[in-house]
Amino acid sequence: MSDTVIVNEVGLRDGLQNQPRLVPVEGKLAILEALIAAGVKSVEATSFVSPKAVPQMADAGELFARLPRDRGVAYAALVPNEKGYERAVEAGAKTIALVLAATETLNRKNINMSLERATEVNIAVIKRAKAEGIEARSYISAAVGCPYEGGVAPEVVFGLTDRMLDAGADEVAIADTIGCGNPAQIKHIFSTLAQRYGPEILSGHFHDTRGMGLTLTWAALECGIRKFDSSIGGLGGCPFAPGASGNLATEDLVFMLNESGFECGIDVTGLRAAVKVAEEQTKQKLGGRVVAWLESQERRKKAAASAAAE
Ligand code: HMG
Ligand code: MG
């Protein structure tokens, strides 16, 4: 099985969408530059959603037009409906991500549609994307639990995955929106879907509310999954899913992958610099566990050097 893992950075979209302080386009581009310098090659850059629903993403068109295109980075944009699809394609998107929650209530809160309507809209947009040569990625949100309805049966997730793939989706991302999952659940979902469809078209998106993000990632890796979303500094959360904290921090994910012999092409020291840029832009303290550890290592080294110099 391949040891190469794609780390898909979602900090600019999932990470920022819940931030109270609006980060200007220049600030988003500064975060992106730092991520690219660290080796990031796959980025969900923004979402073409209603600016009333998510003011932070109101600049999606301008940002997308200004993304650096000559650095070997693949960009995606999240779209909630046909209008978002059209805006994204007009701005130059070649890959779109759609969102479908596994429960009635989360669809209504997130995109103001019933589960059945959201499923139909997702199918229509996927079909249109495929006809127009655009790649389509489908998120199944609340795949293990919903902030409004509680636990979600895996059969519901399997059924929605079937429908998205039948419609032509290139990839399905299983999302633990509020970070309520455990590794046994994730293993069951991914092993079942990987057996049915192969692991190549599946990916994981884990919010790290209870510090389980890495454990869930490992459970999915063991099922052959080789693509994961994460967010620089652990930024993130869905404004319409109370209790959703940040995504798994990119630096923690990359550290685990590098230490375990997986190849993702990203450098943790570079990510630490990107965390600093994200902190400057959001005016808050960020960073996964590995940032605190790296800082403590540096403090120890400095102390040892100055003791040796005395
Ligand atoms: P609505 O109010 O039902 O939409 O919102 P509508 O179709 O009735 O239209 C109302 C107005 O919005 C109209 O404008 C439309 O043109 C406009 P008006 O006539 O009032 O001036 N509109 C749009 N404008 C820009 N872009 C669009 C768009 N669509 C309609 N695409 C809607 C429905 C879906 C638009 C809204 O609820 C929405 O934008 N929701 C997005 C919510 C969101 O961004 N959630 C976070 C992303 S999902 C997530 O974080 C989960 C994920 O990370 C995985 C996980 O962790 O689970 C992916
Ligand atoms: Mg999310």
Side-chain angles (χ1 to χ4, degrees):
M1 195 165 287
S2 165
D3 285 341
T4 300
V5 173
I6 297 174
V7 172
N8 182 46
E9 172 64 42
V10 296
L12 294 176
R13 196 279 301 167
D14 204 337
L16 292 182
Q17 70 187 10
N18 213 18
Q19 288 296 310
R21 182 180 181 276
L22 289 187
V23 178
V25 169
E26 296 298 342
K28 292 177 182 178
L29 290 171
I31 298 171
L32 177 61
E33 281 297 343
L35 289 164
I36 296 174
V40 169
K41 291 266 184 273
S42 179
V43 174
E44 189 169 290
T46 188
S47 57
F48 289 85
V49 297
S50 158
K52 281 184 203 142
V54 188
Q56 186 72 254
M57 298 292 131
D59 61 9
E62 186 192 343
L63 178 70
F64 219 86
R66 292 180 57 190
L67 296 174
R69 305 277 172 188
D70 55 350
R71 317 280 284 283
V73 178
Y75 298 106
L78 183 137
V79 307
N81 56 13
E82 197 122 359
K83 174 161 183 168
Y85 171 81
E86 284 167 4
R87 288 178 61 213
V89 171
E90 196 184 308
K94 299 277 182 272
T95 302
I96 52 139
L98 290 137
V99 58
L100 175 61
T103 64
E104 189 64 34
T105 316
L106 186 54
N107 281 302
R108 288 188 188 276
K109 299 276 185 189
N110 194 31
I111 53 174
N112 198 23
M113 295 176 208
S114 68
L115 173 55
E116 195 44 43
R117 176 79 189 127
T119 307
E120 283 164 10
V121 168
N122 274 256
I123 288 172
V125 176
I126 291 168
K127 287 190 168 160
R128 184 165 168 195
K130 295 324 296 167
E132 296 175 358
I134 302 291
E135 270 196 40
R137 178 175 199 235
S138 277
Y139 282 107
I140 308 292
S141 283
V144 281
C146 167
Y148 304 101
E149 296 187 24
V152 168
E155 289 67 32
V156 175
V157 176
F158 302 151
L160 295 175
T161 302
D162 286 346
R163 291 186 73 181
M164 295 305 107
L165 290 172
D166 276 355
D170 298 284
E171 180 188 327
V172 168
I174 299 298
D176 182 4
T177 311
I178 53 169
C180 64
N182 66 55
Q185 289 170 308
I186 290 298
K187 194 166 186 180
H188 176 58
I189 290 176
F190 277 112
S191 61
T192 306
L193 290 176
Q195 247 171 18
R196 210 177 278 182
Y197 299 110
E200 305 79 18
I201 54 166
L202 302 167
S203 63
H205 174 106
F206 306 129
H207 286 261
D208 206 19
T209 318
R210 300 187 304 172
M212 298 281 254
L214 286 179
T215 321
L216 303 188
T217 303
W218 193 261
L221 277 166
E222 287 194 326
C223 301
I225 308 308
R226 293 291 182 267
K227 182 171 177 186
F228 297 95
D229 289 359
S230 60
S231 181
I232 190 67
L235 269 170
C238 177
F240 311 98
S245 77
N247 294 84
L248 172 60
T250 305
E251 59 276 18
D252 286 354
L253 171 62
V254 165
F255 185 78
M256 180 184 82
L257 293 171
N258 289 348
E259 287 279 303
S260 313
F262 290 99
E263 182 57 52
C264 67
I266 305 174
D267 158 48
V268 171
T269 312
L271 288 179
R272 199 175 152 216
V275 171
K276 288 209 169 105
V277 180
E279 284 181 328
E280 281 158 24
Q281 293 303 328
T282 58
K283 307 277 184 249
Q284 63 170 290
K285 179 88 184 118
L286 296 170
R289 297 295 291 266
V290 79
V291 169
W293 177 77
L294 284 169
E295 283 170 358
S296 75
Q297 292 292 99
E298 265 171 25
R299 278 196 301 273
R300 280 179 55 193
K301 267 192 206 153
K302 262 192 201 156
S306 66
E310 275 167 18

